[in-house]
Amino acid sequence: MLPRIFTTFLSETGDIARFAGRFFKEAFKPRYEFAEFLRQCFFIGYKSLPLVAITAFIMGLVITIQSRPTLVEFGAEAWLPKMVSVSLVREIAPVITALICAGKIGSGIGAELGSMKVTEQIDAMEVSGTNPFKYLVATRIMAATLTIPILAVLADSVSLYGGYLGANIRGVVSWDLYWNQVFDTLAFSDVIPSIIKTFFFGFAIGTIGCYKGYNSNKGTEGVGRSANSAVVISSLLVFVLDLLAVQIIDLLSLT
Amino acid sequence: MIAKTEIVESTKQSLDVPVIQLKSVSKSFGNNSVLRDFTFDLKKGENVVVLGKSGSGKSVLIKCIIGLIKPDTGTINVLGKNIPELSNEELDRIRAKVGFLFQSNALYDSMSVRENLEFPLRRHKAKMTKPQIDELVVEALTNVGLAHTIDMRTSELSGGMKKRIALARTLILKPEIILYDEPTTGLDPITGKEISKLMRELAKTYNTSSIIISHDLNCVKIVADSIVMLIEGKCYAQAKYEELERSTDKKIQEFFI
Ligand SMILES: Nc1ncnc2c1ncn2[C@@H]1O[C@H](COP(=O)(O)OP(=O)(O)OP(=O)(O)O)[C@@H](O)[C@H]1O
Ligand SMILES: [Mg+2]
């Protein structure tokens, strides 16, 4: 006998996969809910923008400050922008963005759809001639998939700016020199794969949030649980996807 | 002479044609068998109340009728179409003619009152122009006496106001059939009575047929042409209020004390 937690995990994974499959089946057939999609993009972007920007800025700043002593030890202080920019753009900015969105967007979608479910609003939509899966779920998954990469690009630039300030706290690196070094270091093979993986992060966050909300149990307690587990699962999934992405990029020797 | 009686006969027949016809409908959730062989007709222009204990499957019954829940077996004919077999498009066409008032109101809390009322119009009647929609929204709100709430958010409304807005949203498409899930629950007796009278009037002016789920005997007295007793998943009895009140059957008596 398999332990129960294991079978629950497997059946839940299967359900989520089916849910994602339903998204691909339904999202690309008319009728398209374009207005609602734009509204969701705006919400997702607008809600997480300040948080993403502040966090990315601070990460850029502190990573630079923390990296300096080691480089100084090897007499490689001049490499600071080089090293910091690679780790920020490849790893830190995309993952931080995804985690913040998992917390903010994942829980938001989970709670919103969950409460719509338990107060029969989803049924009411269906009765009003609307496919609630298209109107509520497909638009949100699509919006998350397309908006989170934009936020990640923004996080890249803000964190690099934070890196510039960090480099100038102890040493002096001119604005031109810093950015020249950064752009010399960063190749397309650093930037593009790291942006591509954020599409997957966005898709995972949107899908998990919608899945948890759409399948909420009766009662307000169910709504809280949906929001909570949406955050936990999607954060975890971000790390798993990141691990996979790193392996794939490594295998294809894109680095 | 003969021709004339024939005409009378045929119009009479069309009046008697059921708009909703359920034949041995069964539905269970896991081991919990909720509806068992439920059979029932609703004729045109008729207002039938469904009485049953909490958890007896009343909400499940009318959700089956509108196609939100698929029955395990049986046929559900609404306006001549068998609901469980319809495609989504056909189902939408039927749903445009059937109003549904949800037990929990189901007002969209991300939208204002106006947007709530516009939603079914925009969805079911894509061709309607903005002025036409505005006119219908104002009319529907005036009907329930809440014209001043048009720009409020639904979270700013009281429970009774929400119920009335939900009623306005149900009526805005001028449905031929209306399914009410506990329309007066949670209202004070006076408002409850007003809503019941409103339902009665609407049924007369628009010649609608309706199924009403209610525990509120005052409401039942006002709106019911006849009453269906939903007991143990079956249509246990169907009769007029006075007849059921006099019944000696224990299971029926419980409801009228
Ligand atoms: N989606 C569902 N999944 C599983 N069980 C359900 C579902 N919907 C309803 N039930 C079960 O069906 C039974 C009847 O529920 P229903 O909501 O129809 O009761 P009701 O007669 O409307 O009660 P009330 O007067 O309290 O509203 C209950 O036992 C409920 O647990
Ligand atoms: Mg009910």
Side-chain angles (χ1 to χ4, degrees):
Chain A
M1 270 299 280
L2 292 166
R4 228 188 76 230
I5 188 159
F6 192 66
T7 50
T8 322
F9 171 76
L10 282 184
S11 79
E12 179 107 352
T13 311
D15 285 346
I16 292 172
R18 242 194 317 274
F19 191 79
R22 187 170 168 202
F23 165 77
F24 286 111
K25 221 169 66 193
E26 296 209 18
F28 303 105
K29 279 186 305 191
R31 111 195 224 177
Y32 302 111
E33 306 288 358
F34 199 65
E36 179 66 14
F37 163 71
L38 286 183
R39 220 170 63 92
Q40 289 307 323
C41 285
F42 173 75
F43 272 137
I44 292 176
Y46 178 79
K47 264 201 244 165
S48 7
L49 186 76
L51 211 53
V52 166
I54 292 171
T55 322
F57 175 75
I58 293 175
M59 285 315 275
L61 193 69
V62 293
I63 296 269
T64 315
I65 295 172
Q66 300 275 36
S67 305
R68 175 188 293 277
T70 321
L71 288 180
V72 169
E73 213 171 295
F74 292 109
E77 200 184 340
W79 279 22
L80 191 58
K82 224 175 168 57
M83 196 194 117
V84 163
S85 62
V86 167
S87 52
L88 285 178
V89 168
R90 271 208 208 149
E91 202 49 50
I92 293 167
V95 171
I96 286 289
T97 308
L99 285 180
I100 288 174
C101 289
K104 193 105 182 124
I105 310 300
S107 68
I109 293 177
E112 187 189 9
L113 293 196
S115 74
M116 289 187 79
K117 168 86 177 193
V118 302
T119 56
E120 298 178 304
Q121 290 176 50
I122 292 185
D123 283 345
M125 284 205 164
E126 195 166 347
V127 170
S128 296
T130 301
N131 178 341
F133 192 90
K134 270 186 187 206
Y135 188 85
L136 297 171
V137 174
T139 53
R140 279 168 177 74
I141 295 182
M142 211 111 78
T145 311
L146 296 181
T147 314
I148 288 172
I150 297 175
L151 288 170
V153 171
L154 187 102
D156 282 345
S157 36
V158 176
S159 67
L160 286 174
Y161 179 69
Y164 166 73
L165 291 186
N168 273 293
I169 288 180
R170 281 299 201 73
V172 184
V173 185
S174 82
W175 177 260
D176 287 346
L177 182 65
Y178 178 81
W179 289 107
N180 274 340
Q181 269 211 39
V182 166
F183 285 118
D184 275 350
T185 316
L186 290 177
F188 265 117
S189 58
D190 293 315
V191 181
I192 300 297
S194 90
I195 291 177
I196 290 176
K197 76 181 174 192
T198 56
F199 282 94
F200 289 92
F201 293 164
F203 180 76
I205 292 166
T207 307
I208 300 294
C210 288
Y211 169 79
K212 282 292 170 189
Y214 206 69
N215 295 305
S216 248
N217 295 325
K218 275 260 176 231
T220 38
E221 192 203 1
V223 176
R225 232 190 337 241
S226 299
N228 189 290
S229 51
V231 176
V232 173
I233 298 179
S234 50
S235 312
L236 206 62
L237 211 54
V238 165
F239 287 116
V240 174
L241 285 173
D242 192 44
L243 184 66
L244 282 177
V246 169
Q247 297 296 324
I248 290 171
I249 292 166
D250 196 38
L251 274 181
L252 298 177
S253 48
L254 287 173
T255 39
Chain B
M1 275 306 271
I2 295 160
K4 199 175 175 185
T5 47
E6 258 174 18
I7 291 166
V8 172
E9 274 299 317
S10 76
T11 46
K12 202 171 164 193
Q13 229 170 33
S14 77
L15 275 179
D16 278 349
V17 168
V19 283
I20 296 181
Q21 202 171 20
L22 280 79
K23 275 202 197 116
S24 37
V25 173
S26 302
K27 175 74 196 175
S28 33
F29 297 99
N31 296 329
N32 177 9
S33 115
V34 179
L35 297 176
R36 296 172 204 165
D37 240 353
F38 191 93
T39 299
F40 159 77
D41 283 0
L42 179 76
K43 298 198 188 66
K44 188 155 177 54
E46 203 180 15
N47 302 294
V48 173
V49 167
V50 177
L51 268 182
K53 285 189 192 147
S54 186
S56 59
K58 305 180 299 297
S59 298
V60 170
L61 175 71
I62 58 170
K63 281 187 179 170
C64 282
I65 294 175
I66 196 87
L68 285 171
I69 296 178
K70 245 194 164 71
D72 299 332
T73 56
T75 58
I76 300 172
N77 244 295
V78 178
L79 300 168
K81 299 266 167 64
N82 185 15
I83 294 293
E85 286 174 354
L86 294 184
S87 70
N88 287 338
E89 290 74 29
E90 290 171 306
L91 204 51
D92 278 347
R93 241 169 283 145
I94 294 285
R95 282 170 174 167
K97 297 178 197 163
V98 182
F100 196 111
L101 181 72
F102 285 87
Q103 188 166 359
S104 53
N105 300 327
L107 292 178
Y108 308 123
D109 34 40
S110 61
M111 303 182 194
S112 70
V113 169
R114 181 201 295 275
E115 288 162 335
N116 260 283
L117 294 180
E118 282 176 352
F119 193 86
L121 288 176
R122 288 190 192 288
R123 293 274 144 181
H124 276 307
K125 311 247 154 102
K127 280 187 223 112
M128 232 176 225
T129 61
K130 179 89 181 114
Q132 279 173 315
I133 289 180
D134 282 345
E135 196 187 316
L136 280 174
V137 168
V138 171
E139 183 193 324
L141 282 176
T142 316
N143 266 342
V144 295
L146 287 175
H148 61 282
T149 62
I150 188 158
D151 288 315
M152 281 163 90
R153 317 240 23 121
T154 51
S155 52
E156 296 170 292
L157 303 169
S158 76
M161 286 159 100
K162 279 185 187 155
K163 196 109 231 170
R164 285 194 275 171
I165 299 290
L167 184 61
R169 189 179 67 182
T170 308
L171 299 172
I172 201 160
L173 287 164
K174 307 253 159 69
E176 291 173 38
I177 302 171
I178 308 177
L179 309 172
Y180 298 96
D181 198 345
E182 309 202 0
T184 60
T185 309
L187 300 181
D188 63 280
I190 301 167
T191 320
K193 211 166 184 174
E194 273 169 17
I195 295 262
S196 310
K197 281 185 184 150
L198 183 63
M199 287 160 59
R200 183 89 231 170
E201 273 164 36
L202 287 165
K204 269 202 198 116
T205 24
Y206 298 115
N207 192 27
T208 53
S209 330
S210 50
I211 297 180
I212 303 126
I213 292 174
S214 182
H215 303 286
D216 173 4
L217 292 184
N218 288 322
C219 167
V220 175
K221 264 187 232 169
I222 297 173
V223 296
D225 293 323
S226 74
I227 298 170
V228 164
M229 308 294 304
L230 173 56
I231 299 174
E232 287 155 4
K234 286 196 174 58
C235 178
Y236 190 80
Q238 178 168 14
K240 290 206 179 334
Y241 186 90
E242 299 76 26
E243 293 164 8
L244 288 172
E245 207 178 16
R246 284 197 304 268
S247 164
T248 50
D249 189 318
K250 277 243 159 54
K251 284 180 184 161
I252 294 177
Q253 268 183 344
E254 287 180 333
F255 289 91
F256 295 90
I257 303 163

